[in-house]
Amino acid sequence: MSETSPSRQPQVVLGVSGGIAAYKACELLRRFSESGHQVTVVPTAAALHFVGEATWAALSGRPAATETWDRVHEVPHVRIGQRADLVVVAPATADLLAKAAHGLADDLLTNTLLTARCPVVFAPAMHTEMWEHAATQENVASLRRRGAIVLEPAVGRLTGVDTGKGRLPDPDAIFAACRRVLSGRAGQADLAGRHVVVSAGGTREPLDPVRYLGNRSSGKQGYALAVTAAARGARVTLLAANVELPDPAGVAVVNVTTALELREAAVKAAAEADVVVMAAAVADFRPAEYAAVKIKKKDGAEPAPVALVRNPDILAELSGSRARPGQLVVGFAAETDQVLANGRAKLARKGCDLLVVNEVGEGRAFGTDTNEAVVLGADGSETPIAPGPKEDVADAIWDLVAARLGVPSH
Ligand code: CTP
């Protein structure tokens, strides 16, 4: 993807039309700028009522382009669209979608949309009635027919007291969709017709009603796997163990807390899965006793030792049982030393098809947005995955999975 090239930053035009969700485009802009994209913000006149020019200029590091008649000799209404690698409009109001669908060009943003030859992404935001109106639906259909990517609005709280479909998709989701477009993966559907199960996060093993044994897994890599699998057409079940991230759109989320709960959910979901990826950090042990009331310290007494018992090894169990013929099972391994040797031994011990080995330690992998790994295959293969955003690591893992999946049997 071009973002890794130091010579040329991808040129992104962020069009902002006039809706209350315009403030969320600031977060989207920040994500683009921080990951090496050069962004030109083109707000409509109405958008400037919600977020002013100074904010866009400060966040993008360049003037916001607001008027067709500014700097006329530089013909910005033509140049901005021509130079772009991607145009994303967020929020896209019903009015903006209508203008784009009909080729109107009465301001700089709509001019830019007509001159752009690069991919265009619209992130709609409006009231449910406006989204569902036949006029809007026809406009969306004709934009999609012409190759534009119109994201589905999210469901949730709208302006005022209303809730329903029409919320601007989460800025992270818009950003992820845009990155797929820029990396040429938009439209990739090699997991269509597949059911994949991904576990994410870290289990918590309770000691009493307020305390638990846990781990530092954020769930970000597992969520990236779920999001990218859904983008590649898979039906996705995400088993989330104590993750503080919003539910990804289009993914069935099952929340669990303990390793035993995760095991139950994983066995159930695996029964009809083509692929199971165990990205969750599962506690190997749990307290032997659960105290139904909070454990109290006793004056002068030594603390009582905590007795532990083994948890089931879910990955080994799923690898051994293979609920469906041809089912692929993928494990993760976090290692601090002798990474490859430990990984090979673990792959053999667990019996899975692929093992994604991460080197962990100070500041590595846990809670960060980037990752790097080596994927070991039961077939003896060893595939390094370059350091990069967790979504890119996820795509590289799905590439290896897709190459090993046979012809769909259903
Ligand atoms: N795993 C599992 N059930 C467990 C423990 C781990 O399914 N009870 C899975 C994890 O989801 C991961 C893989 O096994 O996919 C590796 O987990 P890890 O804890 O690194 O491996 P262990 O076998 O526990 O080895 P060790 O802790 O000794 O490194």
Side-chain angles (χ1 to χ4, degrees):
M1 132 145 216
S2 48
E3 110 183 11
T4 51
S5 155
S7 54
R8 188 179 177 280
Q9 291 180 297
Q11 307 287 309
V12 174
V13 172
L14 171 58
V16 185
S17 57
I20 181 66
Y23 75 94
K24 293 189 194 163
C26 298
E27 177 62 21
L28 179 61
L29 171 54
R30 199 182 58 76
R31 295 291 309 264
F32 276 120
S33 302
E34 284 179 2
S35 52
H37 301 77
Q38 192 165 79
V39 188
T40 303
V41 185
V42 185
T44 63
L48 291 171
H49 287 299
F50 293 97
V51 178
E53 206 172 333
T55 302
W56 301 121
L59 289 175
S60 65
R62 54 207 326 232
T66 52
E67 267 305 324
T68 314
W69 309 111
D70 286 349
R71 294 178 291 135
V72 170
H73 60 290
E74 294 172 22
V75 274
H77 71 287
V78 178
R79 293 279 176 273
I80 291 172
Q82 280 177 337
R83 285 187 197 133
D85 296 306
L86 172 78
V87 177
V88 50
V89 185
T93 58
D95 178 65
L96 188 282
L97 291 173
K99 283 178 175 160
H102 290 86
L104 300 187
D106 61 355
D107 64 7
L108 191 54
L109 178 54
T110 45
N111 272 276
T112 301
L113 287 168
L114 277 187
T115 51
R117 292 294 172 266
C118 60
V120 178
V121 175
F122 293 95
M126 64 197 73
H127 264 73
T128 310
E129 293 83 354
M130 297 173 85
W131 172 252
E132 287 174 349
H133 195 284
T136 305
Q137 287 303 306
E138 277 173 34
N139 291 333
V140 168
S142 77
L143 287 166
R144 284 180 175 156
R145 210 168 35 246
R146 297 203 297 259
I149 294 160
V150 184
L151 303 178
E152 283 298 308
V155 177
R157 180 100 193 263
L158 303 169
T159 318
V161 293
D162 296 346
T163 58
K165 187 165 185 176
R167 242 173 105 85
L168 184 74
D170 189 67
D172 278 347
I174 304 172
F175 181 67
C178 291
R179 290 194 70 253
R180 294 195 79 71
V181 173
L182 283 167
S183 66
R185 285 190 186 268
Q188 188 178 20
D190 52 355
L191 296 177
R194 305 294 191 174
H195 178 204
V196 310
V197 175
V198 178
S199 71
T203 65
R204 289 180 184 172
E205 312 300 321
L207 282 154
D208 70 15
V210 292
R211 303 183 182 94
Y212 58 82
L213 301 178
N215 62 68
R216 291 163 55 202
S217 178
S218 66
K220 285 182 179 174
Q221 184 62 68
Y223 271 51
L225 280 157
V227 168
T228 49
R232 291 166 76 147
R235 173 159 84 87
V236 183
T237 303
L238 176 60
L239 311 177
N242 312 298
V243 182
E244 289 176 18
L245 294 169
D247 287 355
V251 166
V253 180
V254 179
N255 288 298
V256 298
T257 304
T258 65
L260 291 178
E261 286 171 19
L262 177 57
R263 179 194 166 272
E264 194 183 330
V267 169
K268 187 168 171 228
E272 47 176 66
D274 298 292
V275 187
V276 183
V277 182
M278 285 294 299
V282 186
D284 289 319
F285 306 99
R286 66 180 183 280
E289 300 285 340
Y290 172 74
V293 292
K294 191 179 163 197
I295 300 166
K296 293 284 189 188
K297 58 185 170 300
K298 299 192 179 68
D299 280 345
E302 287 295 310
V306 176
L308 300 175
V309 292
R310 281 296 285 264
N311 271 327
D313 188 322
I314 307 166
L315 177 62
E317 182 180 341
L318 296 177
S319 299
S321 60
R322 306 285 169 155
R324 291 177 67 130
Q327 184 180 68
L328 283 180
V329 180
V330 183
F332 269 69
E335 303 291 347
T336 57
D337 63 323
Q338 299 192 49
V339 176
L340 290 180
N342 284 339
R344 259 294 151 219
K346 194 169 286 182
L347 175 78
R349 206 164 58 236
K350 304 265 186 178
C352 51
D353 301 288
L354 294 171
L355 189 74
V356 184
V357 187
N358 293 128
E359 189 170 349
V360 293
E362 290 299 307
R364 299 183 80 138
F366 283 122
T368 63
D369 292 322
T370 59
N371 205 354
E372 68 179 293
V374 177
V375 184
L376 304 178
D379 52 9
S381 61
E382 184 178 313
T383 314
I385 299 180
K390 287 183 172 172
E391 288 78 12
D392 290 2
V393 172
D395 266 318
I397 294 168
W398 290 125
D399 287 345
L400 295 170
V401 167
R404 283 164 173 78
L405 281 170
V407 180
S409 58
H410 50 98

